[in-house]
Amino acid sequence: MKIQVFSKVKKTLLTATQSNPLSVELCPLSELKKNSLQKDTIPYLDVSDLSEEEIKKSLKLINSVTNYGVWGVIDPNGIIKDPARLFFDGASDYMGPALCKEGMDRCRLKALLSWVEARQNASTGNNKKPINLAEIEDCIAESDKPGNAFPGWKAIKPGNIYNFYFFYVSVSAHTNLKSRLGEKAYKIFMDKFRMLLQQSFLESDCILWMETDSNALYLVPPKKQNATSIIVIALRILLSAPLLAYEKLHIPFPVKFTFALHYGQSEYAIPGKTGTIISDAINYIHHLGAKKAEPERLSISEEAAHLLEDKRLGQFFAEAGVFEKQRIFHSKKFMYK
Amino acid sequence: MRVKNSLLSLCKKTLYESISAEMMLRFMELMDPSYDFYTRSGIPHNIPVTNQMAAERIVSDAAEDGRFIDLVEVLVKVDSIGYMGRNYPIKGLAQIVKAINQEGFVFDSASGQFFENSSERASPDWGRLHDGDERQTALLRLDIASNSSIVKNNPVEQVDQVYSALRNIVQRAVISRFGRIWLWEGDGAIAAFVFYRKEAAAIMAGMEILNELYFYNSFANPLPDPVKLRVAVHAGPIKYRKDPIELLKNDTIKDIIQIEGKATPIDNLSASSNVFLSVDRVIQECFSQEKHTVFGKLRYYSIGLEH
């Protein structure tokens, strides 16, 4: 999560605190336009050196461009006579001369977001898109971790290090399956399986990163909602495996899928050019998938186990010992009676 | 299906340019054994019938009886595999098939039948059945357990939200397998499967409904208690009626209502033996052993989680 300060002056007086810092970026006021805001950004207007007319115009503009209906005003010289008026006009924060010196930190941002959410809940008939606090908290949580913040698949840079969820997929007993189907039919089966997974995983915004003829590794953005979504989809696939195998993959005998999920850090490379990457997280997910994960189950490493704090997900999992110094959680098998 | 005049003209022209009047009458009788050309046309038997006259009459009668697509299906069959050991190539048939496709049907070359394109519309008669048609049909019946207490004990908006989600789940499972929902009462529904591998489609739709509801209850259900269903699949002859009250008078529908209500436990899908045998082993293995009930032999499918 980033703060973007739009200002006419070349240096903003707003600083980030040292103890609990937050990324603050200064932008020229002329760049404050529709669709100019980056994702996961909260805009602030620095009113220093602005005339009354310019302030009025800029306030209107910032109110219309904001991502989450959240924006604030920075007033290092105390030129705003009636700060409460700003709130009547839709502002969510006001930082006067003293606060500007103190700086902006994450605690203030969290308090601000909670207040905005409460305000939106209280107001009925508000047409604005409701704030997604979970999404924003995800961004804040992500920026707490080492490595670069995930910028989205379009802006991601090969060579940089990011946090990801790694999702491992394999078809159990693939050698046996290959000999039963034959080389050509096995290839068709794997193509159909890839297609099925990619359609199912759309919601979780993941990408197919590495693939062999028996398993695949998907990269999931380091956001709780994406990872939660992929867990639910995997459980759904495990439950419906007989139907999917028969109807979508056209296999006349039972096929078992094995899934594993891990959270960690890795250098990013575009799919197909991942051969030179050296990463503990990638080693771990491959070991977990190949050596510890079991057919008809989703195995989750301790690093990704925070996702199971959600009781709705947690009920599907049980602890399954330790693997390479990490606790492992296996999904319970679905039984047909 | 309302057939356009241009399509009728094209079919007439194709017929009289490709086959003799005598063969046209034979093919018409293949489609409808009760069809009598001379009675319908009023032409005496001793008057010779030209190819044009026969094509004109046959195509018009088929369209009038709502059997135009059935006639084209017979022609496609004759064109591809011949009749009584002889080939009867019909020129221009591809154009007729294309024109029918444009009317919202798709031709399935495996079964040699036209089907309503489900992505465009899903009418209860598939655009093919007529009032009074009798077909072997696989039925799926579902009932929401404790419906009245759900409605009584929860806010209306939440109940509406849940029932609308359930309806979506059922619709997706049924329509995607070329079934049709015939009746949806407050607490239950009846869906029918007439074409393709109807028995397997009905069973797999029932399995998908229970699977999807399981996840809906785990992650999205706003009500304090899970929504529970009883689902039954059964097959038998059905006389299709547009009027739902008349449709419910079919014995097969009465039977499935009994099977669902009296022999199916909550959260279970029951399949009667006449549908179960048509399903492949990979799906059969998900069901319980056969159980004898007063409504015949039944097998059950339900979902559980390992302890």
Side-chain angles (χ1 to χ4, degrees), chain B residues 1-5 103:
Chain B
M1 175 198 172
R2 204 174 159 273
V3 190
K4 284 181 182 167
N5 284 335
E103 295 296 311

Side-chain angles (χ1 to χ4, degrees), chain B residues 275-288:
Chain B
V275 285
F276 194 73
L277 289 175
S278 321
V279 182
D280 284 72
R281 209 174 136 198
V282 63
I283 300 296
Q284 283 187 347
E285 281 170 359
C286 301
F287 281 74
S288 71

Side-chain angles (χ1 to χ4, degrees), chain A residues 138 165 167 197-206 220-237 259 261 298 300 307-308 310 312-313 317, chain B residues 215 219:
Chain A
D138 257 356
Y165 286 97
F167 190 76
L197 289 180
Q198 288 189 328
Q199 280 170 357
S200 310
F201 291 164
L202 268 181
E203 206 179 295
S204 61
D205 191 27
C206 63
V220 186
K223 295 181 180 177
K224 208 171 171 181
Q225 55 187 22
N226 297 87
T228 303
S229 155
I230 209 159
I231 293 177
V232 175
I233 295 162
L235 291 173
R236 208 175 228 143
I237 291 174
F259 298 128
L261 182 73
L298 162 61
I300 294 186
L307 298 165
L308 305 181
D310 180 343
R312 295 172 307 171
L313 278 182
F317 289 83
Chain B
F215 276 96
F219 295 103

